[in-house]
């Protein structure tokens, strides 16, 4: 159980085949009951969007996360 989970996408520049592209790196950071923070997951995608955010939430739930009370996001529905 996590009292809070921060979920955000970071936009970074990445060079691939001599071409610089901007990609999204999704980060899920869980806050434990004793206030320690734990990286729950990192995902790399080409764009930022709500559809992938829900996929990441579902993946966390299938990987033994039973409950989180508050999800802090920036625009996910």
């Amino acid at each position: 159980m996590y009292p809070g989970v921060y979920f955000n996408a970071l936009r970074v520049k990445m060079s691939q085949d001599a071409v610089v592209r901007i990609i999204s790196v999704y980060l899920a950071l869980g806050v434990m009951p004793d206030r320690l923070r734990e990286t729950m997951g990192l995902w790399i995608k080409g764009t930022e969007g709500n559809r992938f955010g829900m996929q990441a939430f579902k993946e966390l739930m299938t990987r033994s996360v039973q409950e989180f009370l508050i999800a802090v996001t920036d625009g996910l529905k």
Side-chain angles (χ1 to χ4, degrees):
M1 196 272 299
Y2 293 91
V5 176
Y6 295 97
F7 193 76
N8 202 356
L10 309 169
R11 302 199 29 105
V12 296
K13 291 182 181 180
M14 180 176 167
S15 177
Q16 184 178 27
D17 299 328
V19 176
V20 176
R21 297 184 180 160
I22 297 176
I23 59 169
S24 294
V25 178
Y26 287 86
L27 169 69
L29 181 70
V31 179
M32 307 284 281
D34 57 1
R35 297 182 183 171
L36 292 177
R37 291 165 192 87
E38 180 178 297
T39 302
M40 300 171 68
L42 288 169
W43 299 269
I44 298 174
K45 290 291 178 181
T47 60
E48 183 177 1
N50 287 340
R51 184 177 300 156
F52 180 75
M54 287 308 297
Q55 291 173 352
F57 277 129
K58 289 177 184 177
E59 182 181 325
L60 289 174
M61 298 307 273
T62 60
R63 289 190 332 196
S64 77
V65 174
Q66 295 178 358
E67 180 180 17
F68 51 88
L69 302 177
I70 299 172
V72 180
T73 65
D74 64 343
L76 294 178
K77 295 181 182 178

